[in-house]
Amino acid sequence: MEESVDRGEHHNLVIVSNRLPIVLSKSRKQKWTVNLGSGGLVTALAPVLRDRGGTWVGWPGTAEGDTQEVDTLLQKHNKSIGYKLKPVHLTNQEIENYYKGFSNETIWPLFHDLIDHCKFKPEYWEAYQEVNKKFAAAVKETINDDDFIWIHDYHLISLISYLRKMGVKNKIGFFLHIPFPPTDIYTRLPWREEVLDSLLEYDLIGFQTPRDRRNFIISVRTLVDDPAITGKGQVISIKRKSKVLRAGVFPISIDANEFANLAKTPEVRDKTWYLHEHFPDQKLLLGVDRLDYTKGIPERLRAYRHAMRTYPELHGKLTFVQVVVPSRRDIYKYDALKMEIERLVSEINGEFSAAGWVPIHYMYRSLSRSELSSYYSAAEIAIVTPLKDGMNLVAKEYCATNIEEQGVLILSEFAGTAAQMKTGAILVNPHDTVACAQAIFKAVHMSAEERKTRMRKLRRNIRRYDIFWWVESFLESAFSTHLGSFPVVADYNPLADSG
Ligand code: ADQ
């Protein structure tokens, strides 16, 4: 008889994230429309929420003042999607201090090891606490006793502490989408004990890679008295006093089949053909990133410039297409980064452009899914070189789209993805301009056979460990009583690399 696995099917699911998975827009006539987001997380979680019943709690992304209209709009929308969206409204001051402040100017840079970018302001911390408390009240209003609560990401670490103080006894899981930093960096945080105490209250905490979990465990050993750590593999257990926390490694992924199928549609094929026509006799090197200083865009541009200076035979033969999606527009560092990128692009184009060839095509905008897919399909090489990244879905999307299995992936060893994709990709240190330039040269000249072997390996891994595997293995771990009994991601070995 087949052994049944408890994935908590009998429990309703309550997802909590900073943002609701929707895009709200207002027409010129001040009429609101709501569309469900298209990201991997909502694709994977929506069917689970529909099957089990559930609620997604989050900020709708709107400013103060739109509260009533948004509430009415969402109530109507809930009926059509089969689960509930519960908005948590934020004031302009909260958006300033909790979202832009503590989340994006303290935790985000600190957890990406960029201590010089951090602001440690007490008013940011206070707002973070207030908003986490506000989210806790919203969650408490919506739950039943045996619902499973799954909290997402660094904006809401303290949420559990308020839920427990409010008497909520439900099982609660947390997934950290960004890296967990090494202890000597983590300990700079003035509220390091409070943040760690909250993390230790969860029943299950998920990290992207063994590296992140190992960093977390070393911080626990350093800052906490007598933790008992047992088990090895995908899920281990940390016991402190009588509380047991399970810590697992769950590399997030994408709906790989969806990306492969999109690449086969006539619309994407046409767009891809159009790109090839416009770049005749040239290979395309593609970078796609949100505007963020963690993504290593200036470093990548310098590496491309170095490649152009070192290998003149690439002139006219290789074009770098860099797409940047606007992000966190009102934070000063992001404006400064945009200016630095634009200065470098214009310097490089000024240095090398020749009749019929512009070395860098730069786009600063969001692309539709079919446009993005056609760039992924057309590019012979993708260059994904973050200085540090929790996972990096662009790397996975590029490979999943590459149905002809002829593309080459140049990947930063500091992207979470590297743990899973190191044998198929060309791994580089994004700070090493010379090595990155050499990697570009190597990718341009790689034989068709080697490209196929590498890409096949990458695609097999991404198909097997897709976003649906991720959701299932997290939920299975939350409800199982076993440790380490889950499938391990091929191509990297959490056993060898666990804390
Ligand atoms: P992000 O830092 O946002 O996510 P990433 O994982 O690369 O980074 O996801 C970016 C997404 O934006 C991709 O799905 C990509 O397709 C999309 N995108 C990028 N450029 C675009 C463009 N020009 N137009 C349209 N779409 C574009 C955080 C962490 C990551 C982690 C994810 C998921 O920082 O490390 O992988 O969460 O956990």
Side-chain angles (χ1 to χ4, degrees):
M1 212 174 76
E2 211 176 278
E3 204 182 316
S4 74
V5 180
D6 184 7
R7 296 193 183 95
E9 282 94 343
H10 310 300
H11 303 263
N12 280 5
L13 190 58
V14 176
I15 302 289
V16 194
S17 63
N18 173 56
R19 283 292 293 270
L20 282 174
I22 48 168
V23 183
L24 283 168
S25 37
K26 211 178 200 175
S27 71
R28 275 212 212 120
K29 291 183 178 160
Q30 303 296 301
K31 200 172 169 335
W32 284 97
T33 49
V34 53
N35 287 304
L36 211 53
S38 57
L41 196 60
V42 59
T43 310
L45 287 172
V48 187
L49 281 166
R50 263 184 229 120
D51 284 358
R52 297 179 185 200
T55 306
W56 196 315
V57 182
W59 174 43
T62 45
E64 208 171 328
D66 294 324
T67 315
Q68 280 222 318
E69 280 161 295
V70 171
D71 283 353
T72 316
L73 191 71
L74 290 185
Q75 269 164 18
K76 276 192 214 149
H77 186 67
N78 286 343
K79 291 194 184 119
S80 63
I81 58 170
Y83 57 91
K84 221 169 99 189
L85 296 175
K86 184 172 173 62
V88 178
H89 296 285
L90 300 181
T91 65
N92 294 342
Q93 187 71 21
E94 285 167 344
I95 296 170
E96 220 33 63
N97 289 343
Y98 144 81
Y99 177 66
K100 292 184 195 157
F102 197 75
S103 301
N104 287 327
E105 292 189 333
T106 309
I107 299 269
W108 174 268
L110 186 81
F111 280 34
H112 287 87
D113 305 350
L114 296 164
I115 186 88
D116 290 348
H117 287 62
C118 293
K119 287 188 183 162
F120 298 116
K121 293 189 178 181
E123 61 269 34
Y124 283 2
W125 170 249
E126 275 162 32
Y128 187 79
Q129 294 311 299
E130 282 309 311
V131 173
N132 272 255
K133 200 167 164 186
K134 197 174 197 178
F135 266 81
V139 172
K140 187 162 192 289
E141 259 177 41
T142 200
I143 49 170
N144 294 312
D145 285 353
D146 62 350
D147 289 356
F148 175 61
I149 305 170
W150 187 359
I151 297 168
H152 288 263
D153 227 359
Y154 62 102
H155 316 84
L156 297 172
I157 296 174
S158 304
L159 180 49
I160 188 161
S161 306
Y162 292 104
L163 285 171
R164 294 292 184 230
K165 273 185 205 135
M166 290 172 186
V168 171
K169 300 212 161 48
N170 299 49
K171 204 181 256 274
I172 308 182
F174 177 81
F175 186 78
L176 184 66
H177 289 255
I178 64 173
F180 194 89
T183 302
D184 59 338
I185 292 184
Y186 178 71
T187 48
R188 317 285 173 94
L189 181 68
W191 306 278
R192 61 197 186 193
E193 270 93 9
E194 289 91 329
V195 169
L196 203 59
D197 277 348
S198 290
L199 287 171
L200 287 164
E201 284 188 70
Y202 286 98
D203 295 295
L204 171 68
I205 170 166
F207 295 97
Q208 298 271 28
T209 67
R211 167 198 72 190
D212 302 313
R213 185 176 65 182
R214 187 180 53 227
N215 286 342
F216 171 71
I217 286 169
I218 296 171
S219 286
V220 172
R221 286 197 208 277
T222 311
L223 297 170
V224 171
D225 290 337
D226 288 337
I229 299 172
T230 50
K232 55 184 178 175
Q234 199 185 359
V235 181
I236 63 169
S237 124
I238 304 170
K239 190 167 179 197
R240 188 181 55 145
K241 297 177 191 151
S242 55
K243 169 86 186 79
V244 177
L245 158 74
R246 296 146 66 75
V249 178
F250 308 95
I252 199 167
S253 194
I254 56 168
D255 181 350
N257 287 331
E258 193 203 348
F259 277 88
N261 290 336
L262 188 59
K264 293 176 197 156
T265 58
E267 187 189 358
V268 170
R269 282 190 191 277
D270 279 357
K271 286 190 165 125
T272 309
W273 174 84
Y274 181 84
L275 288 172
H276 284 306
E277 285 290 295
H278 274 75
F279 295 100
D281 302 322
Q282 285 170 44
K283 290 198 168 175
L284 296 187
L285 172 73
L286 177 69
V288 175
D289 308 82
R290 222 171 23 77
L291 179 71
D292 200 286
Y293 46 79
T294 60
K295 302 290 180 187
I297 306 169
E299 290 76 2
R300 188 184 308 158
L301 286 164
R302 284 188 207 104
Y304 179 73
R305 175 168 65 192
H306 192 79
M308 288 300 132
R309 286 181 182 164
T310 316
Y311 311 110
E313 63 270 40
L314 295 180
H315 296 185
K317 299 276 175 240
L318 181 71
T319 299
F320 183 12
V321 178
Q322 176 64 57
V323 189
V324 177
V325 201
S327 170
R328 302 181 193 168
R329 287 179 212 222
D330 324 331
I331 299 177
Y332 164 73
K333 293 264 181 208
Y334 288 74
D335 282 343
L337 174 67
K338 178 170 181 277
M339 287 200 296
E340 187 187 1
I341 292 169
E342 289 175 357
R343 184 180 51 78
L344 275 164
V345 168
S346 95
E347 274 177 22
I348 297 168
N349 280 342
E351 187 173 342
F352 300 105
S353 285
W357 177 62
V358 179
I360 305 178
H361 277 249
Y362 168 68
M363 282 173 267
Y364 177 67
R365 58 172 186 266
S366 189
L367 301 183
S368 69
R369 287 176 80 70
S370 62
E371 273 178 303
L372 188 61
S373 175
S374 62
Y375 276 101
Y376 285 150
S377 300
E380 280 80 3
I381 309 162
I383 181 156
V384 180
T385 47
L387 307 180
K388 191 144 183 190
D389 217 332
M391 180 54 50
N392 196 296
L393 297 180
V394 168
K396 293 189 173 182
E397 291 168 2
Y398 174 69
C399 297
T401 306
N402 211 269
I403 47 181
E404 284 166 14
E405 303 189 322
Q406 278 301 312
V408 182
L409 175 66
I410 300 176
L411 181 63
S412 162
E413 53 193 77
F414 306 120
T417 336
Q420 240 176 308
M421 299 169 93
K422 60 183 168 232
T423 56
I426 302 180
L427 280 201
V428 291
N429 171 356
H431 299 282
D432 188 339
T433 312
V434 176
C436 289
Q438 286 166 347
I440 292 172
F441 188 77
K442 179 175 169 179
V444 170
H445 291 97
M446 190 179 281
S447 71
E449 205 184 338
E450 184 176 350
R451 278 184 273 147
K452 183 135 211 143
T453 313
R454 284 173 178 263
M455 188 45 78
R456 208 168 251 177
K457 233 184 238 178
L458 292 169
R459 298 189 75 240
R460 206 181 303 132
N461 189 301
I462 294 162
R463 272 201 307 272
R464 186 158 171 204
Y465 300 105
D466 64 5
I467 186 73
F468 303 104
W469 169 86
W470 178 79
V471 170
E472 274 190 16
S473 65
F474 188 91
L475 293 177
E476 194 177 316
S477 305
F479 288 91
S480 163
T481 47
H482 298 289
L483 292 177
S485 60
F486 302 96
V488 166
V489 174
D491 219 14
Y492 91 102
N493 183 357
L495 289 172
D497 197 16
S498 60

